[in-house]
Amino acid sequence: MTPDREGAVAVERDTEDRISALPSNVIDGILSLLPVHDTEDRISALPRNVIDGILSLLPVHDAARTSILSKNWRYIWPMLPNLVLDNHFCNKLALKSQSVLKETVDEILLEHVGDIVKFVLDMSGTHLTSYADIDRLVRFVTRNYADIDRWMRFVTRKNVKELILDMPDNSTYKLPSHVFNCPTLSYLELRNSLFKPPNSFLGFQNLINLCLNKVTFVSSPDFPVINAPFLVKLTLTHCNGTQNLNIVVSSQLKYLSVRESHYNLDLNRFMTCKKLTCLNLAVESPISADERSTHEQFIFSLSTLEVLTLASHFLELLSAGAVPNGLPITLNCLWHLMLGVNFSKLGQTSYTLELIKNSPNLRKLEIWDNTTSDPAKAVMKYLDTPACLDRTLNKLRDVSIHYFKRSKTVLSFVKLLFAHAPSLLRMSIKPTKAPSSKEELNIAIELMRLPRVSPKADLCYHPVE
């Protein structure tokens, strides 16, 4: 047996026969593509980039098995530009023993020929249900940081453009310098890693998309400036130490998403990003009132904003707990608005309506109902005044209310939208679980009886089973 053939057999060892498991009509369809008498099949005759695309959609085990089909297929797998070592692949091999995953990944990389355009290593263990299995995977990762470093060095030397590294929770894996110094990177996605660039780091000179999830920015007096002159999309999700993130982005940034438990990001670093089309700001704890002017200045300088997401703590910050006297800008480009709203608070309720009124091209509205107490009299009184919504929402077509808590304030809010949206097609309401089926029925009846200015508006009520 040749070394190439041995490698393919090693990768396919102990895997299920996915083709045999396909329905018979699907197998018949595949076989119908194969000529009866010709020595070449139609799939082999496809252009190479099409074959690469097909193989990249297969699980890595199955893609590797194609190398034993024929002489022509022997070198297609080793030259595959996209290597996706997904969660299923890593979990299955890592749980066999401490050495199986290491040896298999080593073998895959050593056999590879040519550039690696995309490399995915998902060792998160997200689909593991047993605590013992999760613990075993975490122990494997911690004991093999040097091997992961070696794999990172290999793929960065292969001119990788897209790199996705997903580690298990509580991982302390420190991203190696090879990744920071890779000049070909255009897409970088990290989860559960330590982020500390080397002092010699000059920035991500070609990076377009940076996605960081549960990444810790190591506090250091010499934390270098991260220059990303071509960055278009930046996503920070539940990262730690974002106050240490000293990033310089160009005015070309179009997408910014920040989700944190405690808000530490300095928005002043993004004041020059006037071309943002999508902004997502969510935090799980209150924000200092000192941040209000910075956030107002930043949000209302974004005249090109198309999609805006604000959690309820941001609405509380911007409203300062009072009814705003209008907004300083009309969001002419905004068509999709997503808000977390505590409708028991006057400031958040009134600010929500101000945002809606100042978005003349709003087509889609999503509300997450964060109401925490019985409706305040001040809120109900405000919602009964004509001035709270004194204009027609001509473009609004789709409204969703998530986690509807059945409060009177939210019912009044829905009533306002029904009465002012002549183009409305759908009002989707997804409630939390009702105390009783009778209460659920009464709420549904009350919603159905609300008058609608749009003759085409459908009410979709989705009670929790």
Side-chain angles (χ1 to χ4, degrees):
M1 185 179 291
T2 65
D4 297 313
R5 193 172 177 84
E6 287 177 357
V9 172
V11 173
E12 69 169 280
R13 191 181 299 126
D14 297 325
T15 61
E16 61 184 357
D17 187 349
R18 297 173 185 256
I19 295 179
S20 299
L22 291 172
S24 58
N25 61 325
V26 176
I27 295 176
D28 291 342
I30 295 172
L31 293 176
S32 68
L33 296 173
L34 304 178
V36 178
H37 302 292
D38 295 346
T39 56
E40 290 292 326
D41 60 76
R42 296 182 187 180
I43 295 179
S44 297
L46 291 171
R48 180 56 183 273
N49 64 323
V50 176
I51 293 176
D52 287 342
I54 294 172
L55 292 186
S56 68
L57 297 175
L58 295 176
V60 66
H61 285 99
D62 295 337
R65 293 171 65 190
T66 61
S67 63
I68 62 174
L69 291 176
S70 69
K71 184 185 295 185
N72 290 339
W73 281 82
R74 180 177 298 173
Y75 298 105
I76 292 180
W77 152 251
M79 297 178 68
L80 197 64
N82 298 335
L83 291 181
V84 179
L85 309 184
D86 61 15
N87 195 272
H88 175 79
F89 171 85
C90 291
N91 288 351
K92 190 169 185 178
L93 294 184
L95 296 179
K96 285 182 178 293
S97 75
Q98 292 291 316
S99 60
V100 173
L101 177 60
K102 171 184 172 299
E103 292 172 356
T104 305
V105 176
D106 282 346
E107 191 170 14
I108 290 172
L109 295 180
L110 287 173
E111 288 184 357
H112 194 274
V113 179
D115 287 349
I116 297 177
V117 176
K118 176 180 179 179
F119 183 74
V120 178
L121 181 64
D122 185 350
M123 305 181 73
S124 60
T126 50
H127 299 300
L128 295 176
T129 55
S130 161
Y131 287 112
D133 287 346
I134 295 171
D135 185 60
R136 193 184 308 171
L137 180 64
V138 172
R139 284 202 314 270
F140 167 82
V141 172
T142 13
R143 292 174 183 173
N144 291 273
Y145 283 165
D147 294 310
I148 300 172
D149 282 351
R150 186 163 43 80
W151 299 337
M152 293 299 103
R153 183 188 302 114
F154 183 90
V155 298
T156 53
R157 289 177 176 177
K158 287 275 190 172
N159 300 319
V160 67
K161 292 183 178 179
E162 184 173 342
L163 178 60
I164 300 174
L165 180 60
D166 199 342
M167 306 297 279
D169 285 340
N170 302 316
S171 166
T172 56
Y173 177 69
K174 183 180 177 182
L175 199 66
S177 59
H178 329 298
V179 175
F180 290 105
N181 295 325
C182 180
T184 55
L185 267 183
S186 61
Y187 181 100
L188 178 60
E189 182 176 335
L190 304 173
R191 184 176 180 272
N192 287 313
S193 300
L194 301 182
F195 194 96
K196 174 63 171 69
N199 293 333
S200 59
F201 183 55
L202 297 177
F204 294 114
Q205 298 304 314
N206 291 297
L207 199 65
I208 296 173
N209 192 331
L210 178 60
C211 181
L212 305 178
N213 190 334
K214 295 184 179 179
V215 167
T216 298
F217 301 98
V218 180
S219 176
S220 172
D222 57 351
F223 195 99
V225 174
I226 301 174
N227 288 299
F230 296 105
L231 196 66
V232 173
K233 185 173 182 179
L234 175 61
T235 306
L236 303 172
T237 306
H238 295 297
C239 293
N240 294 316
T242 49
Q243 68 273 17
N244 300 317
L245 177 61
N246 189 6
I247 188 168
V248 177
V249 296
S250 76
S251 59
Q252 301 304 311
L253 190 72
K254 293 187 176 181
Y255 179 100
L256 176 62
S257 175
V258 182
R259 290 181 172 270
E260 293 187 329
S261 299
H262 301 280
Y263 192 66
N264 293 309
L265 188 70
D266 183 5
L267 275 186
N268 286 306
R269 302 189 188 282
F270 303 95
M271 285 297 180
T272 59
C273 303
K274 305 300 184 184
K275 295 183 180 179
L276 271 180
T277 58
C278 183
L279 176 64
N280 178 356
L281 296 177
V283 68
E284 298 169 7
S285 57
I287 309 166
S288 169
D290 296 338
E291 298 284 343
R292 185 185 177 203
S293 61
T294 301
H295 284 73
E296 279 188 331
Q297 181 185 350
F298 177 64
I299 293 174
F300 295 129
S301 68
L302 303 175
S303 59
T304 59
L305 204 59
E306 297 179 11
V307 180
L308 175 63
T309 303
L310 294 175
S312 61
H313 288 299
F314 283 98
L315 289 181
E316 188 68 19
L317 173 72
L318 293 169
S319 69
V323 177
N325 186 21
L327 298 183
I329 187 176
T330 299
L331 300 167
N332 287 309
C333 296
L334 192 71
W335 66 270
H336 189 182
L337 180 61
M338 292 170 276
L339 301 173
V341 188
N342 185 342
F343 284 95
S344 59
K345 295 194 173 185
L346 179 60
Q348 293 190 34
T349 304
S350 57
Y351 207 90
T352 295
L353 287 168
E354 286 298 323
L355 283 171
I356 292 171
K357 288 192 292 184
N358 283 271
S359 305
N361 292 302
L362 186 67
R363 301 197 301 272
K364 186 172 183 178
L365 173 66
E366 292 186 74
I367 300 291
W368 276 260
D369 182 6
N370 294 330
T371 305
T372 55
S373 59
D374 293 333
K377 291 182 180 179
V379 180
M380 292 301 297
K381 182 178 179 181
Y382 170 76
L383 291 173
D384 284 337
T385 60
C388 75
L389 187 54
D390 55 1
R391 64 195 66 178
T392 304
L393 310 176
N394 289 312
K395 300 291 181 68
L396 188 61
R397 299 167 66 88
D398 191 333
V399 177
S400 295
I401 311 286
H402 304 276
Y403 305 120
F404 172 53
K405 307 244 182 357
R406 303 171 184 82
S407 69
K408 291 181 180 180
T409 48
V410 180
L411 286 171
S412 297
F413 177 77
V414 172
K415 180 180 178 181
L416 280 173
L417 296 180
F418 268 142
H420 291 82
S423 300
L424 190 67
L425 299 178
R426 187 179 74 115
M427 172 74 72
S428 175
I429 297 181
K430 302 171 184 178
T432 55
K433 189 172 180 62
S436 67
S437 56
K438 183 179 180 180
E439 181 177 344
E440 194 78 80
L441 180 62
N442 291 338
I443 290 292
I445 291 173
E446 187 171 355
L447 284 166
M448 286 188 290
R449 287 176 175 170
L450 293 177
R452 311 170 197 182
V453 69
S454 170
K456 297 181 179 180
D458 288 332
L459 173 65
C460 303
Y461 191 71
H462 309 272
V464 178
E465 297 296 336

